[in-house]
Amino acid sequence: MTVKLTDEEKRMLDGECGSVRRTCMAYLVEMAEIAGAERLIDLDGTGDMHTPGLSLSPFYEITEDELRELVENKDYFKIPTFADKSPFPENSPIDGWEKCNVCNMRRADCRLDDPEYHKKAMKEETYELLRKLGVMTSHSCANYLTMGYLPSIGQHCSWFESSQIPYCNAVLGARTNFDGSFATCFLGKAPYYCMHLTENRLGTVLIKTDRLIQTDLEWDVFGYAVGAEVRTAVPVLTGTAKPTTTQFQKLNSAIHTGGAVSMYHIPGSTPEAPTLEHAFGGRKPAREALIGEKELRAAYEYLNYHDSDEVDMVYLGCPHLNLVDIMKTVRKLEGKRVKIPMWVMTNHWVYPAALEMGYVKALADCGVTLMSGACFAAMGAVPEGVRSIAVDTAKQANYVTGCYPEAGGHLQVCYGTTDECIDAALTGRWRGEWR
Amino acid sequence: MRKIRIKGRCEYPGRVEAEALVSTAPLQGFTNVDIDLGCTTERDHPLFMVPYEGKVLVFPSARGSGGFQKYGRGPHHPAAFIHTESSPLNVLCCLHSHVPSMTDFERDPMEVIETGDMVLVNADEGYIEITKKD
């Protein structure tokens, strides 16, 4: 074993601090060895994990009995920890499941709108135990907007979910790798490598553009194209406007879909890059790349994947929609009626706020269903009979067709602006284009 | 037979020799890999629906979801992973699969290995040895 452990960590590994800490520590030591990390770091920020999360991997498992024992001993998670989207592996919507008409994994015995199946999928007994241990069941894929308790600049965290990793590092200036799990959050420790070290957070690739990036769609397409260009590097984005919160959501989900970008800088906008020079730590960029009109159009054409303008269904809410965007959607639809099914997906904690604001009813009056906790890609399916969807998000456009590989991918995806998606919901036709 | 040896870093140990399957594009998991079929289901991908079972899967980098780890899961997993750039996605894949994996090579294996070459992955001793198919 090459990983250096403290005396306390060794005691955990030896089982002196209970079986759960032993399992978690063994898992972390294995992770550190694979990653080439010399030691673990004590986390002082927040955690995000897919839940229930008792299976750390096929080789490390925590049992329900062990969980119960932790509760009886009044044990608790070391760092404030939030649940990612709907319980795994079913990924059933939490609110609005009754109307979803989805067979999970396309298996006839996994109907997500079956009350019995839903009850089982929610795993209430397990969640009650997790809540007693301190886990907050927000069930959000955008916990950075949901948790109401953000890590501060420089704090060490352990998060999961591709879109959240760059949000934590680049937008909040906190430090996380893609490793949020029961083990990291319960012990408050993670392998010390990659994003926890300052030198790995400095910019390496200078990104220029010849089109001012300022609309939601431009940020989404730009993020996807930058991710695909730089892969695992740290890009420094120049030539853009200042992103809104919604646009940061778009950028972060797209940049870790097109690539595996854990960190980026926008000089003047993100906290570790007050200037271009700071972004690169005073060094010269390893290379420059242009993500201009030509590259943006190519990314848009990849994401906008259909040969018919007929749309069966519209989906908004990837990442889970924030309250402001729900309000805007309500304003745009008021007094109208959709012609085809339309879902708006948020998370389980924003849903009650939307209910209180009257948005759930307002959307229902337009024929639109507000739901929480899931998404098409996570459910591994679209509703039965749907062959063409309209979305305003690169991440969903990129993943959802993978669920239907037969005949070269028979699910069609119309991709464009939120307004173009709403227009499709009202008309059943796609009229979007790259302008 | 021409043999080329390249030193690299062991991510997950093991020693295995098998035929290479090279992906010119990064690989993405989650919905874009099907572990029951044992192939990528990502549309427009060079390895779309090409089986990877028992192959040394060679690729530039992983991208996207933490569900990249599905590449190592199920009965159809590759014999080993070789990739140019590393990220926490590869770490997750090793944790979930225990399939031999190497990265951080002294020379980019993507420039040397072609689909059909035989590749000895000796992660235990930190090198790969390529036997060119021609």
Side-chain angles (χ1 to χ4, degrees):
Chain A
M1 192 172 73
T2 52
V3 184
K4 286 182 197 140
L5 298 180
T6 63
D7 290 343
E8 187 203 16
E9 288 163 353
K10 282 180 195 161
R11 282 196 295 279
M12 287 184 191
L13 191 61
D14 291 341
E16 289 176 32
C17 309
S19 62
V20 172
R21 284 187 170 77
R22 180 181 58 206
T23 304
C24 291
M25 187 52 72
Y27 173 84
L28 289 192
V29 168
E30 187 175 296
M31 193 196 293
E33 283 176 343
I34 293 165
E38 290 178 3
R39 65 178 177 93
L40 305 179
I41 182 160
D42 287 325
L43 305 175
D44 53 1
T46 63
D48 171 282
M49 60 183 250
H50 280 310
T51 51
L54 303 188
S55 177
L56 300 173
S57 80
F59 312 99
Y60 296 98
E61 191 102 22
I62 294 152
T63 66
E64 293 256 351
D65 284 343
E66 286 179 312
L67 207 57
R68 241 170 254 117
E69 202 179 313
L70 291 178
V71 171
E72 281 162 17
N73 293 337
K74 301 202 182 312
D75 221 325
Y76 56 89
F77 274 60
K78 190 81 176 176
I79 56 172
T81 299
F82 295 80
D84 211 291
K85 52 189 182 256
S86 289
F88 265 24
E90 291 85 353
N91 293 296
S92 175
I94 298 176
D95 299 288
W97 57 274
E98 301 91 335
K99 294 178 186 170
C100 73
N101 190 29
V102 168
C103 278
N104 191 3
M105 310 302 180
R106 290 166 287 156
R107 280 171 49 188
D109 60 338
C110 293
R111 285 211 63 88
L112 298 185
D113 51 7
D114 170 14
E116 282 303 307
Y117 184 83
H118 181 76
K119 195 180 168 196
K120 220 168 133 186
M122 289 299 105
K123 304 177 177 69
E124 184 51 31
E125 280 182 30
T126 311
Y127 280 91
E128 190 51 34
L129 294 171
L130 284 171
R131 280 193 282 270
K132 283 180 178 167
L133 293 170
V135 176
M136 281 158 279
T137 45
S138 47
H139 294 301
S140 173
C141 75
N143 263 324
Y144 48 84
L145 293 183
T146 312
M147 55 176 68
Y149 188 88
L150 292 174
S152 62
I153 291 175
Q155 282 196 309
H156 296 276
C157 302
S158 180
W159 288 17
F160 213 79
E161 188 73 38
S162 58
S163 64
Q164 296 196 135
I165 306 306
Y167 203 103
C168 182
N169 287 307
V171 184
L172 302 179
R175 301 181 172 207
T176 189
N177 285 325
F178 203 147
D179 61 6
S181 69
F182 190 110
T184 55
C185 299
F186 180 66
L187 297 185
K189 291 174 183 291
Y192 186 56
Y193 80 112
C194 201
M195 284 299 112
H196 292 294
L197 285 87
T198 301
E199 61 263 34
N200 296 328
R201 302 171 62 84
L202 298 172
T204 53
V205 180
L206 176 62
I207 297 291
K208 293 181 174 175
T209 181
D210 57 13
R211 172 174 171 146
L212 179 65
I213 304 301
Q214 56 182 345
T215 68
D216 292 0
L217 182 70
E218 283 167 340
W219 276 108
D220 205 45
V221 176
F222 183 64
Y224 189 86
V226 169
E229 171 64 32
V230 307
R231 298 180 176 177
T232 61
V234 180
V236 178
L237 314 180
T238 63
T240 71
K242 277 190 190 298
T244 64
T245 295
T246 295
Q247 290 167 352
F248 264 130
Q249 282 195 275
K250 298 251 175 216
L251 170 65
N252 287 286
S253 69
I255 206 166
H256 211 306
T257 301
V261 174
S262 293
M263 177 68 177
Y264 62 85
H265 302 276
I266 307 174
S269 281
T270 54
E272 292 178 49
T275 65
L276 190 64
E277 290 69 31
H278 274 91
F280 287 105
R283 301 179 306 194
K284 280 189 177 167
R287 68 182 179 95
E288 289 184 15
L290 176 72
I291 301 297
E293 190 59 51
K294 187 175 143 224
E295 293 76 17
L296 293 167
R297 178 176 282 279
Y300 170 81
E301 283 172 0
Y302 168 76
L303 296 163
N304 190 28
Y305 175 76
H306 60 102
D307 50 27
S308 158
D309 291 337
E310 276 182 49
V311 182
D312 295 334
M313 182 167 181
V314 173
Y315 176 91
L316 302 181
C318 172
H320 289 158
L321 226 57
N322 64 57
L323 195 62
V324 170
D325 286 332
I326 297 174
M327 176 272 289
K328 285 182 179 173
T329 306
V330 169
R331 295 283 94 88
K332 285 170 181 171
L333 278 162
E334 260 174 345
K336 296 169 184 161
R337 185 88 194 162
V338 293
K339 196 174 174 181
I340 55 173
M342 177 172 170
W343 289 5
V344 176
M345 188 68 72
T346 187
N347 63 71
H348 188 47
W349 281 8
V350 166
Y351 188 90
L355 197 63
E356 190 181 310
M357 294 296 290
Y359 300 153
V360 178
K361 184 178 181 305
L363 288 171
D365 289 346
C366 307
V368 177
T369 310
L370 185 71
M371 304 168 84
S372 81
C375 71
F376 285 154
M379 291 188 289
V382 297
E384 288 186 302
V386 169
R387 292 289 172 268
S388 173
I389 61 167
V391 297
D392 65 349
T393 155
K395 183 176 183 180
Q396 206 69 208
N398 176 85
Y399 282 114
V400 72
T401 53
C403 305
Y404 297 93
E406 303 88 349
H410 66 247
L411 182 71
Q412 308 273 302
V413 180
C414 301
Y415 166 73
T417 66
T418 309
D419 285 351
E420 287 165 351
C421 289
I422 289 173
D423 177 69
L426 296 170
T427 63
R429 310 292 300 183
W430 184 252
R431 295 190 285 191
E433 57 182 308
W434 183 249
R435 294 182 175 89
Chain B
M1 297 280 251
R2 194 155 59 97
K3 285 184 190 285
I4 302 161
R5 189 181 277 214
I6 309 175
K7 285 184 192 165
R9 177 171 72 82
C10 165
E11 279 187 309
Y12 198 81
R15 186 185 189 279
V16 63
E17 186 166 23
E19 204 175 271
L21 176 64
V22 179
S23 173
T24 50
L27 290 173
Q28 184 169 63
F30 190 26
T31 58
N32 280 328
V33 63
D34 189 321
I35 64 171
D36 296 322
L37 298 172
C39 41
T40 178
T41 57
E42 183 182 341
R43 67 178 193 255
D44 301 332
H45 194 279
L47 293 192
F48 179 74
M49 299 303 269
V50 178
Y52 51 65
E53 181 176 353
K55 307 282 187 188
V56 172
L57 191 53
V58 185
F59 56 105
S61 60
R63 69 177 187 129
S65 162
F68 175 76
Q69 48 90 1
K70 284 172 71 182
Y71 268 101
R73 303 287 289 269
H76 305 299
H77 65 78
F81 295 105
I82 288 178
H83 54 100
T84 309
E85 294 176 31
S86 58
S87 78
L89 293 175
N90 303 101
V91 175
L92 288 172
C93 185
C94 289
L95 272 167
H96 283 265
S97 70
H98 285 187
V99 168
S101 183
M102 289 187 68
T103 188
D104 296 340
F105 293 95
E106 60 182 10
R107 179 181 174 193
D108 186 356
M110 290 291 296
E111 292 171 3
V112 181
I113 307 174
E114 295 166 280
T115 293
D117 290 346
M118 286 302 289
V119 181
L120 168 68
V121 179
N122 191 337
D124 295 339
E125 295 181 43
Y127 69 86
I128 55 172
E129 192 168 82
I130 302 124
T131 307
K132 297 300 291 180
K133 60 186 171 185
D134 53 352

